[in-house]
Amino acid sequence: KNQVEQSPQSLIILEGKNCTLQCNYTVSPFSNLRWYKQDTGRGPVSLTIMTFSENTKSNGRYTATLDADTKQSSLHITASQLSDSASYICVVSRNKAAGNKLTFGGGTRVLVKP
Amino acid sequence: GAVVSQHPSRVICKSGTSVKIECRSLDFQATTMFWYRQFPKQSLMLMATSNEGSKATYEQGVEKDKFLINHASLTLSTLTVTSAHPEDSSFYICSAGRGQVVYNEQFFGPGTRLTVL
């Protein structure tokens, strides 16, 4: 079954601290893995996209890693800011033959406190 | 680039009425558009995939006669919730697909909050 599981479900961190979010998946056939940030009441915004051959990608203070062998990914937030408070969603895409369908994780709700 | 808009951003309607939500790709042509529904504290759930000029493909459990999708042009798709009921209250999000060499990118709209009284 194609699934994406994220942990933790939620976390609270102090402003300026770092945190790491986890994503495990069983989606096949794999095309790419994406991390999105979703503010409350808004649509998801792409942070990173990684294909099978990429094992790390950064976007500012966000760094994503991918281990395609173990089917795990992580998103590291460095020096968190209050504006980082949001849900972070891990999404895995199947390939074109499978209709490019996306499988969404349940998200990790991050709250950054001053 | 790659901006997707939705209109309206928020709508409140009475039970039994129909509501139309528009999804537009503003600066690119989207051969495929997707409609999602998101309930509070849950992740997005795909409702249907629409391809320009053809009928939408609905996910299992989604009533095609209740959620009418029209993708009349490469920049516009509409979702009409017919005979809305309170249980249809949700956050509806569209995305537009832009085919790339390596992978198909999806760009999400800002969402439409539907409340059915």
mmCIF file of all heavy atoms in Angstrom, chain A residues 31-32 34 36 46 49 93 96 99-100 102, chain B residues 1-4 23-34 36 49-52 71 74-75 94-108:
data_model
loop_
_atom_site.group_PDB
_atom_site.id
_atom_site.type_symbol
_atom_site.label_atom_id
_atom_site.label_comp_id
_atom_site.label_asym_id
_atom_site.label_seq_id
_atom_site.Cartn_x
_atom_site.Cartn_y
_atom_site.Cartn_z
ATOM 1 N N SER A 31 8.943 8.533 -7.931
ATOM 2 C CA SER A 31 9.442 9.530 -8.878
ATOM 3 C C SER A 31 10.216 10.620 -8.142
ATOM 4 O O SER A 31 11.355 10.902 -8.488
ATOM 5 C CB SER A 31 8.299 10.168 -9.660
ATOM 6 O OG SER A 31 8.779 11.224 -10.462
ATOM 7 N N ASN A 32 9.557 11.234 -7.164
ATOM 8 C CA ASN A 32 10.243 12.286 -6.424
ATOM 9 C C ASN A 32 9.555 12.489 -5.078
ATOM 10 O O ASN A 32 8.427 12.045 -4.868
ATOM 11 C CB ASN A 32 10.274 13.587 -7.213
ATOM 12 C CG ASN A 32 8.887 14.084 -7.578
ATOM 13 O OD1 ASN A 32 8.200 14.692 -6.767
ATOM 14 N ND2 ASN A 32 8.466 13.811 -8.805
ATOM 15 N N ARG A 34 8.721 15.481 -2.106
ATOM 16 C CA ARG A 34 8.615 16.925 -1.926
ATOM 17 C C ARG A 34 8.280 17.255 -0.471
ATOM 18 O O ARG A 34 7.554 16.515 0.180
ATOM 19 C CB ARG A 34 7.494 17.479 -2.811
ATOM 20 C CG ARG A 34 7.544 16.964 -4.249
ATOM 21 C CD ARG A 34 6.162 16.853 -4.833
ATOM 22 N NE ARG A 34 6.202 16.249 -6.159
ATOM 23 C CZ ARG A 34 5.624 16.784 -7.226
ATOM 24 N NH1 ARG A 34 4.953 17.912 -7.137
ATOM 25 N NH2 ARG A 34 5.700 16.183 -8.397
ATOM 26 N N TYR A 36 6.490 20.362 1.621
ATOM 27 C CA TYR A 36 5.704 21.573 1.492
ATOM 28 C C TYR A 36 5.501 22.202 2.870
ATOM 29 O O TYR A 36 5.424 21.516 3.884
ATOM 30 C CB TYR A 36 4.308 21.280 0.915
ATOM 31 C CG TYR A 36 4.280 20.937 -0.550
ATOM 32 C CD1 TYR A 36 4.386 19.617 -0.985
ATOM 33 C CD2 TYR A 36 4.123 21.933 -1.511
ATOM 34 C CE1 TYR A 36 4.340 19.298 -2.328
ATOM 35 C CE2 TYR A 36 4.077 21.617 -2.870
ATOM 36 C CZ TYR A 36 4.188 20.299 -3.264
ATOM 37 O OH TYR A 36 4.151 19.990 -4.597
ATOM 38 N N SER A 46 5.775 24.823 -1.996
ATOM 39 C CA SER A 46 6.889 23.889 -2.137
ATOM 40 C C SER A 46 8.171 24.425 -1.496
ATOM 41 O O SER A 46 8.531 25.597 -1.674
ATOM 42 C CB SER A 46 7.139 23.615 -3.626
ATOM 43 O OG SER A 46 8.219 22.723 -3.795
ATOM 44 N N ILE A 49 12.195 19.684 -3.713
ATOM 45 C CA ILE A 49 11.820 18.502 -4.488
ATOM 46 C C ILE A 49 13.088 17.711 -4.754
ATOM 47 O O ILE A 49 14.097 18.286 -5.189
ATOM 48 C CB ILE A 49 11.170 18.865 -5.832
ATOM 49 C CG1 ILE A 49 9.895 19.667 -5.614
ATOM 50 C CG2 ILE A 49 10.840 17.604 -6.622
ATOM 51 C CD1 ILE A 49 9.266 20.135 -6.917
ATOM 52 N N SER A 93 5.690 11.446 -4.969
ATOM 53 C CA SER A 93 5.044 11.329 -6.270
ATOM 54 C C SER A 93 5.433 10.018 -6.941
ATOM 55 O O SER A 93 6.600 9.629 -6.929
ATOM 56 C CB SER A 93 5.458 12.502 -7.166
ATOM 57 O OG SER A 93 4.931 12.340 -8.472
ATOM 58 N N LYS A 96 5.370 8.736 -14.050
ATOM 59 C CA LYS A 96 4.390 9.070 -15.078
ATOM 60 C C LYS A 96 3.497 7.882 -15.403
ATOM 61 O O LYS A 96 2.301 8.032 -15.635
ATOM 62 C CB LYS A 96 5.117 9.545 -16.340
ATOM 63 C CG LYS A 96 4.189 10.119 -17.398
ATOM 64 C CD LYS A 96 4.985 10.709 -18.544
ATOM 65 C CE LYS A 96 4.053 11.335 -19.584
ATOM 66 N NZ LYS A 96 4.815 11.942 -20.703
ATOM 67 N N GLY A 99 0.633 7.769 -13.324
ATOM 68 C CA GLY A 99 -0.203 8.959 -13.345
ATOM 69 C C GLY A 99 0.322 10.133 -12.562
ATOM 70 O O GLY A 99 -0.413 11.073 -12.275
ATOM 71 N N ASN A 100 1.597 10.089 -12.174
ATOM 72 C CA ASN A 100 2.193 11.176 -11.403
ATOM 73 C C ASN A 100 1.425 11.470 -10.120
ATOM 74 O O ASN A 100 1.443 12.593 -9.608
ATOM 75 C CB ASN A 100 2.274 12.471 -12.229
ATOM 76 C CG ASN A 100 3.180 12.351 -13.419
ATOM 77 O OD1 ASN A 100 2.759 12.520 -14.556
ATOM 78 N ND2 ASN A 100 4.436 12.052 -13.165
ATOM 79 N N LEU A 102 0.206 11.913 -6.386
ATOM 80 C CA LEU A 102 0.878 12.298 -5.151
ATOM 81 C C LEU A 102 0.256 11.566 -3.966
ATOM 82 O O LEU A 102 -0.952 11.407 -3.892
ATOM 83 C CB LEU A 102 0.751 13.807 -4.922
ATOM 84 C CG LEU A 102 1.258 14.727 -6.027
ATOM 85 C CD1 LEU A 102 1.108 16.181 -5.600
ATOM 86 C CD2 LEU A 102 2.708 14.425 -6.366
ATOM 87 N N GLY B 1 7.348 32.841 -11.091
ATOM 88 C CA GLY B 1 6.381 32.214 -11.972
ATOM 89 C C GLY B 1 5.638 31.087 -11.300
ATOM 90 O O GLY B 1 5.883 30.766 -10.157
ATOM 91 N N ALA B 2 4.714 30.450 -12.035
ATOM 92 C CA ALA B 2 3.942 29.318 -11.560
ATOM 93 C C ALA B 2 3.009 29.694 -10.416
ATOM 94 O O ALA B 2 3.095 29.133 -9.329
ATOM 95 C CB ALA B 2 4.846 28.161 -11.147
ATOM 96 N N VAL B 3 2.151 30.652 -10.686
ATOM 97 C CA VAL B 3 1.193 31.098 -9.678
ATOM 98 C C VAL B 3 -0.183 30.529 -9.998
ATOM 99 O O VAL B 3 -0.643 30.568 -11.140
ATOM 100 C CB VAL B 3 1.118 32.634 -9.633
ATOM 101 C CG1 VAL B 3 0.072 33.082 -8.609
ATOM 102 C CG2 VAL B 3 2.479 33.220 -9.301
ATOM 103 N N VAL B 4 -0.829 30.012 -8.976
ATOM 104 C CA VAL B 4 -2.178 29.464 -9.106
ATOM 105 C C VAL B 4 -3.101 30.238 -8.173
ATOM 106 O O VAL B 4 -2.791 30.403 -6.990
ATOM 107 C CB VAL B 4 -2.204 27.971 -8.762
ATOM 108 C CG1 VAL B 4 -3.628 27.419 -8.827
ATOM 109 C CG2 VAL B 4 -1.300 27.186 -9.708
ATOM 110 N N CYS B 23 -10.302 27.804 -10.326
ATOM 111 C CA CYS B 23 -8.863 27.621 -10.154
ATOM 112 C C CYS B 23 -8.194 28.066 -11.447
ATOM 113 O O CYS B 23 -8.524 27.569 -12.529
ATOM 114 C CB CYS B 23 -8.555 26.152 -9.876
ATOM 115 S SG CYS B 23 -6.799 25.756 -9.753
ATOM 116 N N ARG B 24 -7.277 29.009 -11.325
ATOM 117 C CA ARG B 24 -6.602 29.537 -12.510
ATOM 118 C C ARG B 24 -5.085 29.454 -12.372
ATOM 119 O O ARG B 24 -4.530 29.765 -11.310
ATOM 120 C CB ARG B 24 -6.970 31.004 -12.720
ATOM 121 C CG ARG B 24 -8.414 31.247 -13.096
ATOM 122 C CD ARG B 24 -8.678 32.734 -13.333
ATOM 123 N NE ARG B 24 -10.103 32.973 -13.583
ATOM 124 C CZ ARG B 24 -10.664 32.922 -14.774
ATOM 125 N NH1 ARG B 24 -9.935 32.647 -15.837
ATOM 126 N NH2 ARG B 24 -11.957 33.154 -14.919
ATOM 127 N N SER B 25 -4.438 29.031 -13.441
ATOM 128 C CA SER B 25 -2.983 29.132 -13.505
ATOM 129 C C SER B 25 -2.685 30.453 -14.196
ATOM 130 O O SER B 25 -3.110 30.686 -15.321
ATOM 131 C CB SER B 25 -2.384 27.960 -14.285
ATOM 132 O OG SER B 25 -2.932 27.874 -15.581
ATOM 133 N N LEU B 26 -1.999 31.349 -13.501
ATOM 134 C CA LEU B 26 -1.883 32.730 -13.972
ATOM 135 C C LEU B 26 -0.772 32.941 -14.985
ATOM 136 O O LEU B 26 -0.869 33.829 -15.829
ATOM 137 C CB LEU B 26 -1.673 33.665 -12.776
ATOM 138 C CG LEU B 26 -2.817 33.683 -11.753
ATOM 139 C CD1 LEU B 26 -2.540 34.720 -10.675
ATOM 140 C CD2 LEU B 26 -4.155 33.950 -12.423
ATOM 141 N N ASP B 27 0.285 32.184 -14.911
ATOM 142 C CA ASP B 27 1.417 32.481 -15.783
ATOM 143 C C ASP B 27 1.968 31.243 -16.484
ATOM 144 O O ASP B 27 3.098 31.247 -16.959
ATOM 145 C CB ASP B 27 2.534 33.172 -14.983
ATOM 146 C CG ASP B 27 2.874 32.412 -13.715
ATOM 147 O OD1 ASP B 27 2.297 31.335 -13.484
ATOM 148 O OD2 ASP B 27 3.726 32.893 -12.955
ATOM 149 N N PHE B 28 1.157 30.187 -16.536
ATOM 150 C CA PHE B 28 1.575 29.025 -17.299
ATOM 151 C C PHE B 28 0.329 28.246 -17.711
ATOM 152 O O PHE B 28 -0.753 28.428 -17.155
ATOM 153 C CB PHE B 28 2.531 28.126 -16.497
ATOM 154 C CG PHE B 28 1.894 27.443 -15.299
ATOM 155 C CD1 PHE B 28 1.477 26.121 -15.367
ATOM 156 C CD2 PHE B 28 1.731 28.134 -14.105
ATOM 157 C CE1 PHE B 28 0.906 25.500 -14.271
ATOM 158 C CE2 PHE B 28 1.162 27.522 -12.997
ATOM 159 C CZ PHE B 28 0.743 26.198 -13.085
ATOM 160 N N GLN B 29 0.500 27.394 -18.675
ATOM 161 C CA GLN B 29 -0.606 26.577 -19.140
ATOM 162 C C GLN B 29 -0.569 25.222 -18.424
ATOM 163 O O GLN B 29 0.467 24.565 -18.388
ATOM 164 C CB GLN B 29 -0.523 26.382 -20.659
ATOM 165 C CG GLN B 29 -0.759 27.676 -21.425
ATOM 166 C CD GLN B 29 -0.799 27.466 -22.930
ATOM 167 O OE1 GLN B 29 -0.110 26.605 -23.445
ATOM 168 N NE2 GLN B 29 -1.610 28.243 -23.628
ATOM 169 N N ALA B 30 -1.687 24.878 -17.867
ATOM 170 C CA ALA B 30 -1.779 23.660 -17.062
ATOM 171 C C ALA B 30 -2.598 22.614 -17.814
ATOM 172 O O ALA B 30 -3.807 22.743 -17.943
ATOM 173 C CB ALA B 30 -2.422 23.960 -15.720
ATOM 174 N N THR B 31 -1.929 21.616 -18.298
ATOM 175 C CA THR B 31 -2.659 20.552 -18.987
ATOM 176 C C THR B 31 -3.483 19.724 -18.014
ATOM 177 O O THR B 31 -4.502 19.154 -18.373
ATOM 178 C CB THR B 31 -1.688 19.632 -19.731
ATOM 179 O OG1 THR B 31 -0.687 19.177 -18.809
ATOM 180 C CG2 THR B 31 -0.995 20.370 -20.860
ATOM 181 N N THR B 32 -3.035 19.685 -16.773
ATOM 182 C CA THR B 32 -3.726 18.903 -15.760
ATOM 183 C C THR B 32 -3.932 19.745 -14.508
ATOM 184 O O THR B 32 -3.016 20.446 -14.081
ATOM 185 C CB THR B 32 -2.918 17.641 -15.380
ATOM 186 O OG1 THR B 32 -2.602 16.915 -16.563
ATOM 187 C CG2 THR B 32 -3.717 16.747 -14.437
ATOM 188 N N MET B 33 -5.116 19.662 -13.966
ATOM 189 C CA MET B 33 -5.394 20.329 -12.696
ATOM 190 C C MET B 33 -5.986 19.305 -11.735
ATOM 191 O O MET B 33 -6.650 18.355 -12.156
ATOM 192 C CB MET B 33 -6.342 21.505 -12.885
ATOM 193 C CG MET B 33 -5.672 22.714 -13.532
ATOM 194 S SD MET B 33 -6.773 24.138 -13.601
ATOM 195 C CE MET B 33 -5.631 25.426 -14.113
ATOM 196 N N PHE B 34 -5.699 19.498 -10.474
ATOM 197 C CA PHE B 34 -6.124 18.559 -9.448
ATOM 198 C C PHE B 34 -6.964 19.292 -8.416
ATOM 199 O O PHE B 34 -6.690 20.441 -8.067
ATOM 200 C CB PHE B 34 -4.909 17.941 -8.751
ATOM 201 C CG PHE B 34 -3.936 17.269 -9.693
ATOM 202 C CD1 PHE B 34 -2.960 18.004 -10.348
ATOM 203 C CD2 PHE B 34 -3.996 15.904 -9.919
ATOM 204 C CE1 PHE B 34 -2.063 17.394 -11.217
ATOM 205 C CE2 PHE B 34 -3.104 15.284 -10.776
ATOM 206 C CZ PHE B 34 -2.137 16.031 -11.432
ATOM 207 N N TYR B 36 -8.362 18.991 -4.455
ATOM 208 C CA TYR B 36 -8.178 18.321 -3.178
ATOM 209 C C TYR B 36 -9.168 18.884 -2.166
ATOM 210 O O TYR B 36 -9.647 20.000 -2.271
ATOM 211 C CB TYR B 36 -6.757 18.577 -2.639
ATOM 212 C CG TYR B 36 -5.636 18.023 -3.493
ATOM 213 C CD1 TYR B 36 -5.114 18.756 -4.554
ATOM 214 C CD2 TYR B 36 -5.080 16.775 -3.210
ATOM 215 C CE1 TYR B 36 -4.077 18.256 -5.325
ATOM 216 C CE2 TYR B 36 -4.034 16.271 -3.979
ATOM 217 C CZ TYR B 36 -3.535 17.024 -5.025
ATOM 218 O OH TYR B 36 -2.504 16.526 -5.776
ATOM 219 N N THR B 49 -8.894 14.433 -10.820
ATOM 220 C CA THR B 49 -7.886 14.960 -11.737
ATOM 221 C C THR B 49 -8.604 15.387 -13.001
ATOM 222 O O THR B 49 -9.399 14.618 -13.557
ATOM 223 C CB THR B 49 -6.860 13.874 -12.082
ATOM 224 O OG1 THR B 49 -6.255 13.411 -10.878
ATOM 225 C CG2 THR B 49 -5.788 14.435 -13.014
ATOM 226 N N SER B 50 -8.339 16.603 -13.439
ATOM 227 C CA SER B 50 -8.995 17.065 -14.660
ATOM 228 C C SER B 50 -7.962 17.422 -15.707
ATOM 229 O O SER B 50 -6.940 18.044 -15.411
ATOM 230 C CB SER B 50 -9.899 18.265 -14.382
ATOM 231 O OG SER B 50 -9.166 19.441 -14.164
ATOM 232 N N ASN B 51 -8.219 16.978 -16.909
ATOM 233 C CA ASN B 51 -7.372 17.282 -18.049
ATOM 234 C C ASN B 51 -8.142 18.180 -18.999
ATOM 235 O O ASN B 51 -9.335 17.961 -19.241
ATOM 236 C CB ASN B 51 -6.949 15.999 -18.766
ATOM 237 C CG ASN B 51 -6.064 15.144 -17.907
ATOM 238 O OD1 ASN B 51 -4.943 15.496 -17.591
ATOM 239 N ND2 ASN B 51 -6.577 14.004 -17.490
ATOM 240 N N GLU B 52 -7.464 19.158 -19.519
ATOM 241 C CA GLU B 52 -8.105 20.134 -20.397
ATOM 242 C C GLU B 52 -8.793 19.447 -21.560
ATOM 243 O O GLU B 52 -8.180 18.629 -22.253
ATOM 244 C CB GLU B 52 -7.068 21.147 -20.889
ATOM 245 C CG GLU B 52 -7.650 22.289 -21.693
ATOM 246 C CD GLU B 52 -7.616 22.038 -23.187
ATOM 247 O OE1 GLU B 52 -6.799 21.215 -23.621
ATOM 248 O OE2 GLU B 52 -8.407 22.663 -23.911
ATOM 249 N N HIS B 71 -12.831 21.648 -17.044
ATOM 250 C CA HIS B 71 -11.484 22.162 -17.350
ATOM 251 C C HIS B 71 -11.515 22.629 -18.796
ATOM 252 O O HIS B 71 -10.992 21.963 -19.684
ATOM 253 C CB HIS B 71 -10.471 21.038 -17.129
ATOM 254 C CG HIS B 71 -9.041 21.502 -17.121
ATOM 255 N ND1 HIS B 71 -8.035 20.730 -16.586
ATOM 256 C CD2 HIS B 71 -8.449 22.624 -17.568
ATOM 257 C CE1 HIS B 71 -6.885 21.370 -16.712
ATOM 258 N NE2 HIS B 71 -7.118 22.517 -17.306
ATOM 259 N N LEU B 74 -6.701 25.801 -20.798
ATOM 260 C CA LEU B 74 -5.426 25.414 -20.196
ATOM 261 C C LEU B 74 -5.082 26.239 -18.959
ATOM 262 O O LEU B 74 -4.061 25.997 -18.320
ATOM 263 C CB LEU B 74 -4.299 25.532 -21.227
ATOM 264 C CG LEU B 74 -4.294 24.466 -22.321
ATOM 265 C CD1 LEU B 74 -3.255 24.800 -23.382
ATOM 266 C CD2 LEU B 74 -4.013 23.090 -21.737
ATOM 267 N N THR B 75 -5.911 27.211 -18.637
ATOM 268 C CA THR B 75 -5.632 28.044 -17.472
ATOM 269 C C THR B 75 -6.776 28.093 -16.474
ATOM 270 O O THR B 75 -6.680 28.777 -15.454
ATOM 271 C CB THR B 75 -5.305 29.491 -17.895
ATOM 272 O OG1 THR B 75 -6.426 30.023 -18.616
ATOM 273 C CG2 THR B 75 -4.061 29.550 -18.763
ATOM 274 N N CYS B 94 -6.907 23.542 -5.089
ATOM 275 C CA CYS B 94 -6.602 23.033 -6.419
ATOM 276 C C CYS B 94 -5.097 23.128 -6.644
ATOM 277 O O CYS B 94 -4.399 23.876 -5.961
ATOM 278 C CB CYS B 94 -7.338 23.813 -7.495
ATOM 279 S SG CYS B 94 -6.672 25.458 -7.803
ATOM 280 N N SER B 95 -4.622 22.345 -7.561
ATOM 281 C CA SER B 95 -3.239 22.482 -8.005
ATOM 282 C C SER B 95 -3.211 22.342 -9.510
ATOM 283 O O SER B 95 -4.089 21.714 -10.116
ATOM 284 C CB SER B 95 -2.321 21.444 -7.348
ATOM 285 O OG SER B 95 -2.573 20.156 -7.875
ATOM 286 N N ALA B 96 -2.222 22.966 -10.104
ATOM 287 C CA ALA B 96 -2.072 22.919 -11.550
ATOM 288 C C ALA B 96 -0.744 22.262 -11.870
ATOM 289 O O ALA B 96 0.280 22.599 -11.271
ATOM 290 C CB ALA B 96 -2.136 24.327 -12.130
ATOM 291 N N GLY B 97 -0.799 21.332 -12.801
ATOM 292 C CA GLY B 97 0.402 20.603 -13.163
ATOM 293 C C GLY B 97 1.062 21.200 -14.386
ATOM 294 O O GLY B 97 0.400 21.541 -15.363
ATOM 295 N N ARG B 98 2.369 21.335 -14.291
ATOM 296 C CA ARG B 98 3.161 21.819 -15.421
ATOM 297 C C ARG B 98 4.226 20.781 -15.700
ATOM 298 O O ARG B 98 5.105 20.541 -14.892
ATOM 299 C CB ARG B 98 3.799 23.172 -15.081
ATOM 300 C CG ARG B 98 4.574 23.788 -16.239
ATOM 301 C CD ARG B 98 5.120 25.150 -15.866
ATOM 302 N NE ARG B 98 6.176 25.073 -14.870
ATOM 303 C CZ ARG B 98 6.820 26.132 -14.389
ATOM 304 N NH1 ARG B 98 6.481 27.339 -14.804
ATOM 305 N NH2 ARG B 98 7.762 26.000 -13.483
ATOM 306 N N GLY B 99 4.106 20.147 -16.832
ATOM 307 C CA GLY B 99 5.022 19.060 -17.129
ATOM 308 C C GLY B 99 6.450 19.529 -17.279
ATOM 309 O O GLY B 99 6.714 20.543 -17.899
ATOM 310 N N GLN B 100 7.358 18.826 -16.698
ATOM 311 C CA GLN B 100 8.775 19.143 -16.789
ATOM 312 C C GLN B 100 9.522 17.954 -17.383
ATOM 313 O O GLN B 100 8.989 16.871 -17.514
ATOM 314 C CB GLN B 100 9.336 19.451 -15.392
ATOM 315 C CG GLN B 100 8.700 20.651 -14.736
ATOM 316 C CD GLN B 100 9.043 21.943 -15.425
ATOM 317 O OE1 GLN B 100 10.182 22.162 -15.827
ATOM 318 N NE2 GLN B 100 8.055 22.801 -15.615
ATOM 319 N N VAL B 101 10.779 18.170 -17.698
ATOM 320 C CA VAL B 101 11.589 17.108 -18.276
ATOM 321 C C VAL B 101 11.801 15.998 -17.257
ATOM 322 O O VAL B 101 11.691 14.825 -17.560
ATOM 323 C CB VAL B 101 12.955 17.656 -18.745
ATOM 324 C CG1 VAL B 101 13.843 16.522 -19.217
ATOM 325 C CG2 VAL B 101 12.741 18.665 -19.860
ATOM 326 N N VAL B 102 12.069 16.406 -16.022
ATOM 327 C CA VAL B 102 12.416 15.425 -15.000
ATOM 328 C C VAL B 102 11.189 14.909 -14.273
ATOM 329 O O VAL B 102 11.028 13.732 -14.053
ATOM 330 C CB VAL B 102 13.409 16.026 -13.982
ATOM 331 C CG1 VAL B 102 13.734 15.015 -12.897
ATOM 332 C CG2 VAL B 102 14.664 16.477 -14.692
ATOM 333 N N TYR B 103 10.321 15.812 -13.913
ATOM 334 C CA TYR B 103 9.140 15.380 -13.163
ATOM 335 C C TYR B 103 8.030 16.387 -13.369
ATOM 336 O O TYR B 103 8.218 17.508 -13.802
ATOM 337 C CB TYR B 103 9.445 15.253 -11.667
ATOM 338 C CG TYR B 103 10.210 16.422 -11.089
ATOM 339 C CD1 TYR B 103 9.620 17.660 -10.885
ATOM 340 C CD2 TYR B 103 11.554 16.262 -10.749
ATOM 341 C CE1 TYR B 103 10.337 18.714 -10.365
ATOM 342 C CE2 TYR B 103 12.272 17.309 -10.223
ATOM 343 C CZ TYR B 103 11.658 18.531 -10.035
ATOM 344 O OH TYR B 103 12.375 19.571 -9.526
ATOM 345 N N ASN B 104 6.830 15.951 -13.069
ATOM 346 C CA ASN B 104 5.668 16.812 -13.206
ATOM 347 C C ASN B 104 5.489 17.626 -11.947
ATOM 348 O O ASN B 104 5.304 17.076 -10.877
ATOM 349 C CB ASN B 104 4.434 15.968 -13.470
ATOM 350 C CG ASN B 104 3.200 16.812 -13.719
ATOM 351 O OD1 ASN B 104 2.625 17.357 -12.781
ATOM 352 N ND2 ASN B 104 2.817 16.950 -14.955
ATOM 353 N N GLU B 105 5.581 18.922 -12.053
ATOM 354 C CA GLU B 105 5.460 19.799 -10.905
ATOM 355 C C GLU B 105 4.015 20.183 -10.704
ATOM 356 O O GLU B 105 3.272 20.394 -11.669
ATOM 357 C CB GLU B 105 6.300 21.058 -11.145
ATOM 358 C CG GLU B 105 6.202 22.093 -10.054
ATOM 359 C CD GLU B 105 6.834 21.640 -8.765
ATOM 360 O OE1 GLU B 105 8.043 21.879 -8.592
ATOM 361 O OE2 GLU B 105 6.134 21.020 -7.941
ATOM 362 N N GLN B 106 3.580 20.261 -9.452
ATOM 363 C CA GLN B 106 2.247 20.744 -9.133
ATOM 364 C C GLN B 106 2.368 21.990 -8.283
ATOM 365 O O GLN B 106 3.130 22.018 -7.322
ATOM 366 C CB GLN B 106 1.448 19.688 -8.358
ATOM 367 C CG GLN B 106 0.899 18.566 -9.200
ATOM 368 C CD GLN B 106 -0.100 17.717 -8.446
ATOM 369 O OE1 GLN B 106 -0.848 18.203 -7.593
ATOM 370 N NE2 GLN B 106 -0.113 16.425 -8.743
ATOM 371 N N PHE B 107 1.613 22.997 -8.661
ATOM 372 C CA PHE B 107 1.606 24.252 -7.922
ATOM 373 C C PHE B 107 0.220 24.435 -7.327
ATOM 374 O O PHE B 107 -0.779 24.359 -8.036
ATOM 375 C CB PHE B 107 1.975 25.410 -8.847
ATOM 376 C CG PHE B 107 3.332 25.243 -9.470
ATOM 377 C CD1 PHE B 107 3.471 24.623 -10.699
ATOM 378 C CD2 PHE B 107 4.467 25.694 -8.813
ATOM 379 C CE1 PHE B 107 4.726 24.451 -11.266
ATOM 380 C CE2 PHE B 107 5.720 25.523 -9.375
ATOM 381 C CZ PHE B 107 5.856 24.897 -10.607
ATOM 382 N N PHE B 108 0.176 24.702 -6.032
ATOM 383 C CA PHE B 108 -1.094 24.736 -5.321
ATOM 384 C C PHE B 108 -1.666 26.146 -5.252
ATOM 385 O O PHE B 108 -0.931 27.133 -5.124
ATOM 386 C CB PHE B 108 -0.918 24.190 -3.900
ATOM 387 C CG PHE B 108 -0.707 22.706 -3.863
ATOM 388 C CD1 PHE B 108 0.564 22.180 -3.982
ATOM 389 C CD2 PHE B 108 -1.771 21.845 -3.726
ATOM 390 C CE1 PHE B 108 0.776 20.802 -3.961
ATOM 391 C CE2 PHE B 108 -1.580 20.473 -3.692
ATOM 392 C CZ PHE B 108 -0.302 19.959 -3.821
#
